Amino acid sequence: MTLIKSISGIRGTIGGEVSENLTPIDAVKFASAYGTWIKKQRNKSDYKVVVGRDARISGEMIQNLVMNTLVGMGIHVVDLGLSTTPTVEVAVPMEHADGGIILTASHNPKEWNALKLLNAKGEFLNGEEGAKILKLAESTDLLFADVDSLGSITKNDAYIDLHIDEVLALDLVNVDAIEKANFKVVVDGVNSTGGIAIPLLLERLGVEAVKLYCEPNGHFPHNPEPLKEHLTDLSQAVVKEHADFGIVVDPDVDRLAFMDENGDMFGEEYTLVACADYVLSKTPGNTVSNMSSTRALRDITEHHGGNYEASAVGEVNVVELMKKNNAVIGGEGNGGIIYPELHYGRDALVGVALFLSLLAEKKMNVSTLRASYPNYFMSKKKIALTPDLDVDAILKTMEAKYSQEKVTTIDGVKIDLSDSWLHLRKSNTEPIIRVYTEAPTQENADTLADKIIEEINSVAGVK
């Protein structure tokens, strides 16, 4: 059982001991710290926070604890109920709220949940702001409201529709072309809120949606991380339904992956590549992704005359660099699309609309589109953290071992080789070391990853 405090929020497993897991007491403690931080930002008479959740079994319990804690601090709450992470991000500025909280552990299994914290712009808190909240959570500097100054809860279930309105109003979303293309798509909503939002979006675009696991009951039918090995049912459904392609999202709908008409993965890394190709063809400019993302985005960006740069892993880091570089699109290779014309947050709804626009205009099937992009293959492996594993020492040793290569250390150790790269880092969301490699063939990527893991185990004294 685990409690992780990081740039990605407060994330943990439900049940168990206080301070070791995400228990009710921990939920109240961190909600109180966040509420205190909100009130320290501006001195005003009324404060408002937007709260939404994915469909996890623990979601309603955690949301009620969080919302009523904020009420106890004199903060008014806008309750979106079942929602998506990007929908809450869109709702915060639309509500003129002081912040927002999404209750979701994203791709983690059902025993996990988390508090993801937003500022008044609807963007994730940066490291400095997050550190202040963690410090407040361990202090007694928490002041609650008297009985005449309690906050209130107002329910608003319109925001998924409002979010879709905003997506469809974007200049680059070619609604007419999509409607004329008569697409048929299978949607795997992993029994969470993607099963609500994605079919609604497709309906508004005139796309026939075949629903697979779209009942938002929190009983994930497979591992919720949208990877090939978890998506056999989607693959079979796409072929059986003679669909144009398949869509899968994670439980909070900020990650997006596609499956082609043959039931083969388009490649989660290539979601951003395709959307960027479309955006750059209309509005040339710069792009940003994180250090663990494919080189294909760099290639596509340079093809369109723009500049590409990589940030540290973590949405807030990508957003910060996108703003600095005036990027027209960016995101993360895990299927996270960030399109600033709408908002600075990973958004599967925007990704679906841009991808459909690209397909409709190019008039080609998904497998042909994938074949048109530079071909790279990635291996993503994990090493479980143990108390005797010194991550910092391992990273320093690996940095020294490959010092003759191009090495970047802003987030773990990234080593660029002539035709491949490897990235080693401690995860923000799981108790693991992530080992990512990319190469011109899958065999080369897997071999490089296995070699690096063997070297790490040797450094750590693991037999």
Side-chain angles (χ1 to χ4, degrees):
M1 308 297 275
T2 308
L3 185 66
I4 299 173
K5 309 164 192 175
S6 76
I7 196 171
S8 296
I10 313 302
R11 183 180 304 234
T13 45
I14 299 298
E17 297 181 18
V18 174
S19 298
E20 298 296 326
N21 310 275
L22 188 58
T23 68
I25 290 174
D26 292 289
V28 169
K29 178 172 74 171
F30 289 111
S32 301
Y34 176 71
T36 300
W37 178 81
I38 285 288
K39 296 176 80 171
K40 285 178 178 289
Q41 301 309 296
R42 285 186 293 177
N43 184 16
K44 49 192 287 197
S45 57
D46 290 307
Y47 297 88
K48 184 193 293 187
V49 170
V50 177
V51 181
R53 64 181 174 91
D54 69 14
R56 288 171 187 275
I57 297 167
S58 62
E60 187 173 7
M61 174 195 70
I62 297 294
Q63 183 172 6
N64 285 329
L65 288 165
V66 167
M67 290 194 305
N68 282 294
T69 299
L70 295 174
V71 167
M73 304 194 82
I75 296 172
H76 301 296
V77 174
V78 180
D79 173 15
L80 304 194
L82 288 172
S83 191
T84 77
T85 287
T87 302
V88 177
E89 292 171 347
V90 168
V92 170
M94 290 180 75
E95 282 286 333
H96 304 287
D98 299 285
I101 302 178
I102 307 115
L103 290 315
T104 175
S106 194
H107 64 275
N108 291 101
K110 69 177 183 179
E111 62 268 22
W112 290 76
N113 213 325
L115 283 70
K116 291 187 175 182
L117 309 176
L118 305 175
N119 61 23
K121 295 179 181 178
E123 300 169 10
F124 285 116
L125 306 188
N126 61 34
E128 181 181 350
E129 292 164 335
K132 289 178 180 178
I133 289 171
L134 294 181
K135 185 175 180 180
L136 283 167
E138 301 306 323
S139 76
T140 57
D141 186 21
L142 304 173
L143 183 64
F144 291 85
D146 61 44
V147 70
D148 294 316
S149 304
L150 297 175
S152 61
I153 298 176
T154 302
K155 190 163 182 62
N156 189 330
D157 58 7
Y159 267 103
I160 288 178
D161 288 317
L162 293 172
H163 183 184
I164 292 172
D165 289 343
E166 294 294 308
V167 171
L168 299 185
L170 292 168
D171 290 341
L172 295 195
V173 175
N174 194 335
V175 177
D176 290 341
I178 295 169
E179 289 178 340
K180 290 174 183 176
N182 295 314
F183 289 117
K184 181 179 182 180
V185 177
V186 180
V187 179
D188 182 349
V190 73
N191 284 344
S192 191
T193 50
I196 301 171
I198 301 299
L200 282 174
L201 171 66
L202 295 176
E203 180 183 348
R204 296 278 299 278
L205 287 166
V207 176
E208 180 182 352
V210 178
K211 297 181 182 180
L212 176 68
Y213 305 133
C214 286
E215 182 65 31
N217 56 28
H219 294 283
F220 304 149
H222 53 76
N223 185 308
E225 189 163 13
L227 303 177
K228 178 181 179 179
E229 57 266 31
H230 307 147
L231 302 175
T232 303
D233 291 350
L234 176 61
S235 175
Q236 293 173 348
V238 168
V239 174
K240 178 182 176 182
E241 294 289 340
H242 302 287
D244 293 289
F245 63 99
I247 294 173
V248 60
V249 293
D250 65 340
D252 68 323
V253 203
D254 63 358
R255 288 175 63 175
L256 170 67
F258 299 113
M259 190 163 280
D260 73 17
E261 72 279 5
N262 302 312
D264 296 323
M265 288 298 292
F266 185 76
E268 190 182 32
E269 290 288 327
Y270 282 80
T271 301
L272 176 56
V273 174
C275 291
D277 183 27
Y278 178 67
V279 170
L280 291 168
S281 72
K282 307 288 187 178
T283 53
N286 302 326
T287 66
V288 171
S289 65
N290 70 39
M291 296 171 63
S292 287
S293 300
T294 180
R295 282 180 173 176
L297 179 61
R298 176 203 64 184
D299 295 351
I300 289 295
T301 304
E302 292 176 353
H303 171 75
H304 286 287
N307 295 313
Y308 164 80
E309 191 171 349
S311 76
V313 174
E315 183 173 322
V316 66
N317 296 318
V318 176
V319 167
E320 181 180 1
L321 190 56
M322 285 181 68
K323 290 178 178 179
K324 179 182 176 182
N325 291 359
N326 295 314
V328 295
I329 190 169
E332 298 188 281
N334 59 12
I337 307 299
I338 302 175
Y339 186 49
E341 284 297 306
L342 181 56
H343 68 118
Y344 277 105
R346 296 184 304 179
D347 190 329
L349 280 74
V350 169
V352 167
L354 294 174
F355 188 78
L356 284 166
S357 299
L358 174 65
L359 281 182
E361 292 190 10
K362 282 186 173 287
K363 295 183 172 61
M364 65 172 58
N365 60 30
V366 173
S367 61
T368 303
L369 177 67
R370 175 61 183 84
S372 72
Y373 294 131
N375 226 10
Y376 295 102
F377 296 85
M378 193 172 287
S379 178
K380 300 180 179 182
K381 300 194 176 184
K382 307 174 181 179
I383 299 175
L385 290 180
T386 58
D388 58 343
L389 205 63
D390 188 338
V391 178
D392 291 336
I394 289 171
L395 295 177
K396 286 181 180 179
T397 300
M398 298 302 290
E399 178 187 354
K401 183 178 180 67
Y402 287 89
S403 59
Q404 73 278 13
E405 308 291 348
K406 180 184 176 183
V407 178
T408 307
T409 59
I410 62 170
D411 183 8
V413 176
K414 171 82 176 280
I415 301 164
D416 278 290
L417 307 172
S418 59
D419 64 349
S420 58
W421 56 260
L422 58 106
H423 188 198
L424 318 173
R425 58 181 293 276
K426 184 177 178 181
S427 173
N428 293 329
T429 58
E430 298 179 58
I432 58 172
I433 297 174
R434 295 194 184 276
V435 180
Y436 285 9
T437 60
E438 186 176 66
T441 69
Q442 190 62 59
E443 181 181 4
N444 287 350
D446 290 339
T447 299
L448 180 58
D450 291 339
K451 174 175 177 283
I452 295 303
I453 289 174
E454 185 178 330
E455 290 177 357
I456 290 173
N457 287 336
S458 176
V459 170
V462 177
K463 296 182 180 179

